[in-house]
Amino acid sequence: MKKTLLSILVVTVISAITISCGGNKTKETSSEMKDTSSTVVAGVQYTCPMHPEVISDKPGSCPKCGMDLVKK
């Protein structure tokens, strides 16, 4: 009886750890896929007033909402 309970407990703990680690990796991957910003080292940068994470090195429109990008 003790072996059965111990086995169930070990499987539950390992499953919880695996799921929690896998969930974080999935969230990181999803955010990376949604990230449309580009890193610009020098020069003028343009950004969306509504989505400051969108950064470009040339004027244009925001890929998320279509607003014009403004100088940062």
Side-chain angles (χ1 to χ4, degrees):
M1 182 71 171
K2 286 184 180 183
K3 281 187 174 184
T4 304
L5 290 176
L6 183 61
S7 297
I8 292 172
L9 180 63
V10 168
V11 169
T12 304
V13 169
I14 290 173
S15 297
I17 291 171
T18 303
I19 291 170
S20 66
C21 291
N24 289 340
K25 187 172 184 178
T26 303
K27 289 178 185 176
E28 290 172 5
T29 303
S30 297
S31 66
E32 289 172 5
M33 289 174 29
K34 291 179 182 178
D35 187 16
T36 57
S37 64
S38 61
T39 305
V40 178
V41 177
V44 178
Q45 293 181 339
Y46 296 86
T47 186
C48 175
M50 295 299 292
H51 302 99
E53 68 274 8
V54 175
I55 301 172
S56 177
D57 60 343
K58 56 187 176 187
S61 60
C62 176
K64 292 184 178 182
C65 66
M67 290 182 67
D68 290 336
L69 300 179
V70 295
K71 284 185 180 180
K72 198 169 186 183

